Every structure is written in C-alpha cells, then in structure tokens.
Amino acid sequence: MQLLLGLDAGTTALKVALFDAKGQLLGVSTQEYALETPQINYVEVDAEVYWQAFKSGLAEIRQNYEIRPEDEIALAISAQGETLICIDKTGRALRKAIVWMDNRAVDEAKAMEQHFGNAVCYKVTGQVSFEPCWPAPKILWIKNHEPEVFEHTDRFLLLEDYLIYRMTGSFNTEGSLVCSSVYWDILNKCYWKEMLEFIGISEYQLAEVVESATVVDEILDEVREELGFPCKVTVSTGALDQVAGAIGAGNIREGMFSETIGAALAICAPVSRPVFDPNQKMPLHYFALPDTYMIHTFTTGGMTLRWFRDKFCADEMAVENSGGGDAYDLISKEVEKIAPGCDGLVMLPHLSGSLAPDVNAKAKGVWFGFSLNHTKPHFARAIMESLAFILRRNLEALKDMGISVKEVRSLGGGSKSRVWNQIKADANDITLVTVQSKEAACLGAAILAGTATGVFESVEDAVENMIKVKDQYQAQSELKAIYDKNYEMYCKLFQDLTECFDRTV
C-alpha cells in the first residue's frame, strides 16, 4: 500500500502524520518541546530534540497503525524557517540550534545593512531588510562570538536540511525554506556570492538547492532500522511550514490567501510572478511550485496565546490534564462572554519583535487601556483581537501592492477556535474559510512527497481531490465601527511606542 508521511517541525512541537493516497488521515502524533531562552533575545533548542521528537512521534503512530513490509512510504518535511544548525564533518551538532525567533544578531544585521543596504537586500533576496533573525546574521554572530564553532562547522543547515541529512546522508534544501536566509538570490535561484564572502563561508557549507517535491534518496538502512520502518521509505524535499500549510489548505493560486496562527502568525498569498512591494514592506518568498512566488510575512505574536495559557491559565491546564477538556477551548469559552472591543483593552502581541509590514526587532508586548473592570478573559480576548489586527495590517499592505485577495483560508491552532475565527472575520470585514484537514502542514508535506514519487500527477491535482472546505465565517457589519476604533489604537500604539522599544534593555 502506498502511504504518505508528512512531518511538521514547528517551533514548539513536531507533528508526524500518516496518510493514505486519498488523503485520509491514518495516524498523527504531536511531540512538544520547550524553547530555551538563556537571556533576552536568545532562543535555542538542542538539535537532537528535533530528531528524538520525530522518533517518538513515529513510534506512537506505529502503535496505532500497522506499517507492513510490503508498504511503500513517501516522506517530506514541513519545517520552520530560519532555524540554524551547525554540524561538523561527522554530522554532530556543534551547538544548540538557533531558533528562527532568536534576535541576538542585532549588530551583525546592522553591519550587513551598512555594507549592502536594505534596498539591495530586497532586490536580491526578497526580504525587505536585514534582520537579526535571518540565518546570515546568525552565522556572522557565530563567527564573531563563537569562533571555535565557526571554524569547525562543516555545514550550516536549516531544520529541513538537517532532518533530510539525518535520514539520507544527503545535503539538500529547497527554495521556499532558503529564501529567507538572505544568502540566496531569489530571482536567479542561486546562492548570493557577495553575501557568502561577507560572512566568510563557502557554497559547499550549504545544502544544494532543488525544487520542492524532488526525490532526495531512500532512507539509510541504519536509520530505517533506528526508526523502526519495516518497508521502503523515499525522502523528498518538502517546504517551509507556512508554504506546506498553504498547500494543505488548498491555497495554491493567485487571488487566494491563507493565515496561520500557531507559534507564529503567518500569511501566504501565492503570486504567479515576482511582485516587489514599492513601499518595501512585504517580503517576497519562493513557493513550492516551480517558478512561482508568494507574499509571505509572519510575526512571533502567534505564540502569545500559548504564553498566556502557560503563565496565567493553571486552572484551565489542570482541567486539561485531568481529562476535562482542552485548555484552549476553555479559554475560548470565556472569551465568548466578553464583548467585541474588550471594553477598550488593546494589546500589542510582539513578545519577540515584530516583522513585516511593521518591522521592529525591539518591539515588545503591551496591554493598554485596562481598568478595574477588566478580567482575565478580557486579556485573552485582547490577544485574539491583536492577532486579527496584524492580519489586517497585512491585508492592507497587499492591497497597496495591487494584490486582490478574494478568499482567506485559516489553518493552524488558531483556526480551531470558532470565536477567534469570527473575531478575524469581523476585524477584517472578510469571509474566512476553514478546511476539513486538521493537519494542513503535514498534509501539504505529504502532498509534496506524493507528487515527487508519482503518486499524484501534480500538486494541483492532489489539492483538487483532497482539500475540502469545513466552515465559513461571515463578517458581522454591525461590529465594524468597534473594531475600526481598536485597530486605529493598535496602529497608533505601535507607532508611538517605537522610542520606548528602542530604550528597552
């Protein structure tokens, strides 16, 4: 039997999902892991944590679904972007992975800006500015602060590259992942020689770039035994998690738009040609279909609700741990009791900086306007509304670029909350659509794996037959004035607090 295995290596959890060739979900496992924050702006994870999470997730699936020797598995990865892993000649990680949201490389990003200029950065890489979260500044930071690690690093890998290497021994990556490294030329589809010279590395030290849905190799025999696969496993290139999620939600054509709220809030708008923002605010990324692109932005604000759950919702988590229901569902039920607009409470959810279209690595989280009348559910709703406002900022930026969005699809953890979906529809005056697949990123990776191995004729063919709409949320016009008022305050707060962010230690 032909099976499709999609991995979604996210910021705080790795999901493993098994599908048949018709897209039916046969098994899924989620393995959470903690982020290490040794100091402000530092975010790390031991590279081995990702591999062990994959092993544990796969073992859990195999407990519930029998994979037989005669089966064939096609595997691809949906991976978080910008997370950097340094390995030596033996494949050993020389330090902990520097996670995408890590902002330690501020000085290095400034040095790149001074040397190249942000206009050149945008023209060559599609990224609007040099930011400390990009892999190129991270590599330069390692060179400046950890010279022994830099000297002994044989390969600088992104997370998908690393997992492919662990499985096959090959060094491959793909455009949707590497395009935000700021050392890849997005139009010529090659590494940016001048940047590699600036940071002092060679092209050999980076993975070879191929298209998404390209077969890399069969899994190594010793790895197949380690993971407990009894059958043939073919590994293919996948995509950036947000690209895989867009595919898993059926968002593969110009005029469509998908938003994901998980550890990050991300938006994806496919375009059939390279489109650069004249205001230089919206990044251009490479898509998973050959020679197609997408406008894609994200912000760390997406993990704000998880932070709120972990820090302030011990009672809800205790109920979940005792089998009484999901903590997020319990939070959502309380949010439903609060009127739209949160009685004037507005939040900026930038717990680890802000990205396009409002780039500020120093931005922080803010609650504004609370009084004695506000309760914990008010604060939870303010988080949900603030993420809806970030979505609105991105939709407005796309409109300024002449990109008309006709349909918005929602996926990720945030799409499971009906009240949050309605908030997003109301705050943006749009119709929001969710899809039946609960594991869109894993499904998108599985579709790419199936396309690479010939299970599907094309990604478009797979999407047409496998993606089904679940619910639609219509905007309630009577709430427009309330959300417009709070949105105006959100934008003013972000602008007026810039000096305060700059003064933050």
Side-chain angles (χ1 to χ4, degrees), residues 168-440:
T168 67
S170 298
F171 294 103
N172 284 105
T173 190
E174 40 74 29
S176 74
L177 189 75
V178 76
C179 65
S180 60
S181 65
V182 298
Y183 47 66
W184 194 64
D185 185 328
I186 193 170
L187 297 183
N188 294 308
K189 297 196 291 185
C190 62
Y191 284 116
W192 185 13
K193 180 180 178 181
E194 289 78 7
M195 177 57 75
L196 299 190
E197 291 175 351
F198 184 80
I199 59 181
I201 66 173
S202 67
E203 189 169 330
Y204 160 83
Q205 292 177 280
L206 304 171
E208 180 184 357
V209 184
V210 297
E211 297 286 352
S212 294
T214 297
V215 171
V216 175
D217 206 342
E218 289 187 23
I219 204 166
L220 294 168
D221 288 342
E222 59 267 31
V223 176
R224 185 166 58 84
E225 293 176 5
E226 177 187 356
L227 297 173
F229 282 117
C231 63
K232 175 183 176 182
V233 181
T234 303
V235 179
S236 305
T237 49
L240 177 71
D241 51 6
Q242 304 304 333
V243 173
I247 293 171
N251 176 23
I252 59 171
R253 289 183 292 274
E254 189 166 336
M256 299 184 72
F257 175 101
S258 58
E259 61 86 12
T260 309
I261 297 180
L265 181 148
I267 70 102
C268 297
V271 288
S272 58
R273 68 197 188 286
V275 180
F276 289 92
D277 180 5
N279 297 316
Q280 201 170 317
K281 290 185 176 181
M282 299 296 282
L284 178 69
H285 283 243
Y286 197 71
F287 198 54
L289 279 65
D291 297 315
T292 62
Y293 295 81
M294 71 172 181
I295 309 302
H296 166 55
T297 67
F298 62 92
T299 176
T300 56
M303 70 183 310
T304 308
L305 191 63
R306 174 171 174 165
W307 165 83
F308 183 80
R309 180 201 69 173
D310 293 347
K311 301 297 184 182
F312 301 106
C313 299
D315 290 344
E316 289 84 350
M317 293 180 70
V319 171
E320 178 178 315
N321 292 334
S322 66
D326 181 81
Y328 288 119
D329 290 343
L330 297 173
I331 294 170
S332 291
K333 288 179 180 179
E334 292 300 311
V335 165
E336 289 178 347
K337 301 175 183 178
I338 305 302
C342 297
D343 296 318
L345 179 63
V346 179
M347 189 200 189
L348 301 183
H350 311 299
L351 303 192
S352 186
S354 174
L355 290 172
D358 300 310
V359 177
N360 189 336
K362 296 181 179 180
K364 295 292 185 291
V366 175
W367 266 299
F368 174 82
F370 59 92
S371 65
L372 293 173
N373 294 326
H374 287 98
T375 61
K376 188 171 80 171
H378 280 90
F379 287 84
R381 185 175 184 111
I383 291 172
M384 292 185 177
E385 292 188 357
S386 71
L387 273 293
F389 293 152
I390 293 179
L391 178 59
R392 181 165 170 174
R393 284 288 297 122
N394 281 280
L395 286 169
E396 288 180 349
L398 288 174
K399 185 177 181 180
D400 291 341
M401 294 172 64
I403 298 175
S404 175
V405 174
K406 301 177 181 178
E407 182 177 336
V408 174
R409 295 199 173 193
S410 180
L411 55 148
S415 68
K416 298 177 182 178
S417 169
R418 296 188 64 85
V419 64
W420 203 349
N421 288 336
Q422 191 62 56
I423 287 171
K424 287 180 284 188
D426 293 336
N428 289 278
D429 195 26
I430 58 171
T431 297
L432 184 136
V433 176
T434 60
V435 295
Q436 291 182 4
S437 174
K438 297 179 180 179
E439 308 297 341

